[in-house]
Structure formats: C-alpha cells, structure tokens
Amino acid sequence: MPVQAESGVGAWSRAEIAAFVDKVVAPRAAEFDQTARIDPSIIAEFAGRGLWGAVLSEADGGTGAGMTTLAEVHEEVGRGCSSMRSLLTVHSMALYALDRWGTETAKQRWKADLVAGNALGAFCLTEPEAGSDFAALQASARRTDDGWVLDGHKLWVTGGQLADVLLVFARTAVGPAAFLVEAANPGISRIPVRDITGTRGSQVAEIVFDNCEVGADALIGPEGMGLAIATGVLDIGRFSVAAGCVGILQACLNACVSYANSRHQGGALLREHQLVQQMIATIATNTRAARLLVWQAARLKDTGSPDTIMATCIAKQFAATAAAAAANDAVQLHGARGCTDEYPVGRYLRDAKVMEIIEGSTQLQHILIAADACRNQARVIPID
Ligand SMILES: Cc1cc2nc3c(=O)[nH]c(=O)nc-3n(C[C@H](O)[C@H](O)[C@H](O)COP(=O)(O)OP(=O)(O)OC[C@H]3O[C@@H](n4cnc5c(N)ncnc54)[C@H](O)[C@@H]3O)c2cc1C
C-alpha cells in the first residue's frame, strides 16, 4: 500500500519518501553502481510503497496523487540513487503509454502488475542508426493474419535486462507504431550493456527482435502514430529525469556542505574560503532554480495545460546541465578524495553526465526550446 500522507497533499509526504530513500535506497547506491545490478529486494521495497504505480493517479488506477507529488518522489529517489530513478523513469513511461493508448486486452494483461511492481516496463526507441533523430527508426512490424511480426535492433534500453514488458517502436506499412511486447517472447534476445559511465545499476541492455510474433492487441494507439506516442512518452521521461537531476543537485549540495564544514586547509574550514563559497552558492542557487522549473512543469501537467511540454523541455535542459556542473564542482571541492569511492560525488558526476544525453540530449532540448521561442515570439509561459 502507498505510504499515507501526513499533510493530505497526496499519497506520499516528502518527509516520508525522503526517510525511505535515506534508509533503504541511498545506502545501497554505491553497491548497485559497483556491481552494475540492483538487488531484487529493492524492487519489492519500492512496490511495498506503491512507487511503481505513482505516474498514474489513483483515479486512473495508479497509486499517485498527481505530477507535483511524482516530481517529489522522483527527486528524492534521484537524490539517493540515479540508477533506481532511471528504472522508475522507463517503467513509468511504459505504464503511462499502456494507460493512455493501450487496448483493453493489454490493460487487462499488464496494468495491475505494472502498477503493483509485479512486472517492470522498459522503453525501446533508440537504434544504432536512429538516436536523437528517432524518426529514422528502422525496426519493422509486419502485419500477419493474427497479429504482428517485429524485427529490429534496439540499443541502450534502461532496465532492459530486468523488464517484463517492453514498449517498442517499429515501422509498419503505414508508418511508425508503438507496441507493448512481453520480454520473455522467444523472438527477443537481450544482451547486457556493461561499463556505462553512469547509472550502472540500471541494467541497460541491447535488445534484438528476430521474427518476434505478437498478438494484434500488442499495438498501442493507432498504426502510424508511433512518433506522436514516442513524443508523449518522452515528455513523461524528461519530466522524471529533470526531477531526478534536482535530486542529484541536492545530493551534491549536501555532500559539499558536509565536507566544507569539516575539512581544514590554510588554517580555516573550506567553507570560509570565498572560492569554495562560490561553488556552494552556485549549486544551492541552481538546485532551487531547477526544482522550481520542475515544479512549474508539474503544475502545468496537473492543470492539463499544453504549456507543460515546453516547460518540461526547459526544466530537463536546465536541471541536467546544472546537475552535471554541480557534480563537477562537488568533485573539485572534495579534492583528491572526490576522485575516489570514499565519497559519492564521483558517482554523481558519472550519473549526471548520462542525464545530459538521455530523453533528448541537451542539444536537442536547445533546438526545441529555441524553435518554440522563435515560433511564439518569445512569449512568457505562465508561472502557475
Ligand atoms: C545510460 C543510458 C540509458 C539509456 N536508456 C535508453 C532507454 O531506456 N531507451 C531508449 O530508447 N534509449 C535509451 N538511451 C539512448 C539515448 O536516448 C540516446 O543515446 C540519445 O537519444 C542520443 O542518441 P545517440 O546516443 O545515438 O547520439 P546521437 O543522436 O548520435 O548524437 C550524438 C551527439 O550529437 C548531438 N546531436 C545529434 N543530433 C543533433 C542535431 N540535430 N543538432 C545538434 N546536435 C545534435 C547530440 O546531442 C549528441 O551530443 C540511453 C542512453 C544511455 C547513455
């Protein structure tokens, strides 16, 4: 069951989720990073608190209380462990797609298990030749008498080693389409991807579809609408990543304040040196700014405003860039110790770098943000 709210603002209070992260998630983040796998018991811990179903509100059959609460949950998990937050992100994307575009048969088959965390979802869009330009995807879906046959090659699938159900994008005779496919299908091979810079515990896989037969009900949404569905799902992914980056920023701030308050150099604590203060001030300011941008995107989602799409791009671009810069400064502030596993800041830096690439790289966000600004004559997005 979800944790009950203290304040009545949703299924979780921030204090409750923060305490859970401090007790259960953060202490294991280094282990997940070093072993490049998560312990299955943590999936059950998340399930016990209803976290896998939080992207859907209770009214929609989920466990969540809206996007503002979701942002807090994904920020807190991201503060403790970016690998777990990445797994939550792609799972949430698959569940969101199922709920919004799935057939009744597919919902009957998967929704309750995905909400409960009895099954995990993953998102398969990127291919060897189709990265940022995902419209160039080559995976194919051929219609048969009783369903579809999928062929193709997907790369960098977060949670791909663990997932039970895959949201797959493939090209039909009509155009790109989305499918929800059981990962245990004999036409699917999963190859673990190791030695990634960051989010090493998120168990990334390369996935090959070879004559993969699925039923007619595997199609999600109208045939030919795959790119629009991918864009809608990426908006949820970007939102989650942006919130997770706020978590990385907060973790960097916590680590820097703690170290600057205890390390002496030149006859003074580090915190008394003005150049150190500059680093801490910048991280503190960017943490707050990123959190406000995510909060704005969340509010706009909760009110159903289309402005949330651009607000989410802006939040993701700012939060990912700020998190990478903050983690770089956090390593700097820790000196040589920051370059060892004695402190978590090196992991924060590796995880933050990944955030500048996934769910639309920083360059892609810049393109989208600039296009929107120019198209709309630099209009002001309402704050609330
Ligand atoms: C740890 C990790 C997890 C991931 N998880 C998933 C997942 O779960 N599912 C999934 O489908 N994918 C996933 N990805 C893939 C990720 O979404 C892609 O890596 C990303 O979209 C970029 O594609 P690419 O790597 O092919 O780079 P490319 O598209 O080849 O880009 C290379 C560089 O060129 C820049 N660039 C590209 N096009 C332009 C342009 N038009 N203008 C200016 N600059 C441009 C990019 O910003 C980047 O800096 C993951 C990646 C990583 C590293």
Side-chain angles (χ1 to χ4, degrees):
M1 291 293 291
V3 174
Q4 292 304 303
E6 287 172 348
S7 57
V9 293
W12 297 270
S13 73
R14 182 183 278 268
E16 285 165 333
I17 193 71
F20 166 69
V21 167
D22 287 338
K23 186 170 171 218
V24 177
V25 183
R28 305 202 63 186
E31 169 203 331
F32 297 162
D33 180 60
Q34 283 158 12
T35 59
R37 67 182 291 278
I38 56 148
D39 184 333
S41 69
I42 197 124
I43 295 174
E45 293 273 9
F46 274 52
R49 285 157 182 81
L51 299 184
W52 298 110
V55 70
L56 302 184
S57 66
E58 285 185 281
D60 290 327
T63 56
M67 291 294 168
T68 312
T69 307
L70 188 80
E72 292 189 343
V73 169
H74 286 212
E75 177 192 327
E76 288 297 337
V77 174
R79 177 175 63 77
C81 178
S82 287
S83 291
M84 283 309 300
R85 203 270 311 135
S86 283
L87 289 171
L88 263 187
T89 299
V90 293
H91 175 88
S92 302
M93 293 162 82
L95 175 54
Y96 176 83
L98 170 69
D99 185 61
R100 181 142 179 215
W101 293 286
T103 58
E104 278 313 310
T105 313
K107 285 184 192 170
Q108 287 292 328
R109 169 70 186 87
W110 290 111
K111 188 168 168 180
D113 279 346
L114 287 172
V115 166
N118 296 328
L120 292 189
F123 172 75
C124 306
L125 179 62
T126 306
E127 299 178 1
E129 300 305 326
S132 303
D133 181 15
F134 61 80
L137 65 89
Q138 293 299 313
S140 66
R142 179 169 48 84
R143 200 186 268 279
T144 61
D145 288 344
D146 52 359
W148 301 87
V149 175
L150 272 55
D151 286 284
H153 187 176
K154 298 291 181 179
L155 287 184
W156 316 115
V157 179
T158 295
Q161 298 174 44
L162 296 168
D164 302 284
V165 58
L166 308 172
L167 177 61
V168 185
F169 293 86
R171 192 172 289 282
T172 72
V174 175
F179 298 86
L180 212 58
V181 180
E182 185 161 6
N185 188 304
I188 293 177
S189 325
R190 307 197 250 185
I191 304 137
V193 178
R194 304 195 197 282
D195 302 330
I196 293 182
T197 299
T199 61
R200 286 185 181 163
S202 65
Q203 301 200 223
V204 174
E206 190 176 330
I207 301 192
V208 178
F209 298 82
D210 182 9
N211 207 25
C212 174
E213 296 178 15
V214 297
D217 57 304
L219 180 70
I220 294 285
E223 195 182 343
M225 289 294 288
L227 296 184
I229 293 172
T231 303
V233 174
L234 280 168
D235 174 59
I236 296 298
R238 269 172 206 158
F239 179 73
S240 167
V241 169
C245 287
V246 179
I248 295 175
L249 279 154
Q250 184 67 51
C252 290
L253 183 60
N254 295 350
C256 288
V257 166
S258 169
Y259 197 71
N261 274 333
S262 60
R263 171 85 172 157
H264 285 86
Q265 282 298 283
L269 284 166
L270 286 186
R271 73 158 190 241
E272 294 170 64
H273 296 295
Q274 289 183 348
L275 292 175
V276 171
Q277 292 169 3
Q278 183 188 35
M279 287 194 274
I280 292 174
T282 302
I283 297 171
T285 304
N286 284 345
T287 304
R288 188 171 291 207
R291 186 175 287 126
L292 286 170
L293 286 172
V294 172
W295 183 80
Q296 183 195 27
R299 292 276 296 179
L300 291 167
K301 281 192 188 339
D302 280 338
T303 58
S305 166
D307 285 330
T308 188
I309 306 281
M310 190 42 53
T312 301
C313 287
I314 290 171
K316 195 272 180 180
Q317 183 271 319
F318 183 86
T321 307
N328 193 40
D329 274 355
V331 171
Q332 191 71 18
L333 192 146
H334 284 70
R337 289 176 180 80
C339 303
T340 71
D341 289 339
E342 187 183 350
Y343 290 89
V345 289
R347 170 165 50 83
Y348 299 158
L349 179 56
R350 291 187 285 101
D351 289 342
K353 187 64 228 174
V354 168
M355 302 313 142
E356 292 192 291
I357 293 169
I358 59 173
E359 312 298 351
S361 68
T362 296
Q363 289 69 38
L364 264 287
Q365 304 308 326
H366 284 155
I367 290 168
L368 294 171
I369 294 164
D372 179 78
C374 293
R375 189 170 52 243
N376 292 307
Q377 308 297 328
R379 89 195 155 91
V380 175
I381 294 180
I383 292 292
D384 197 2

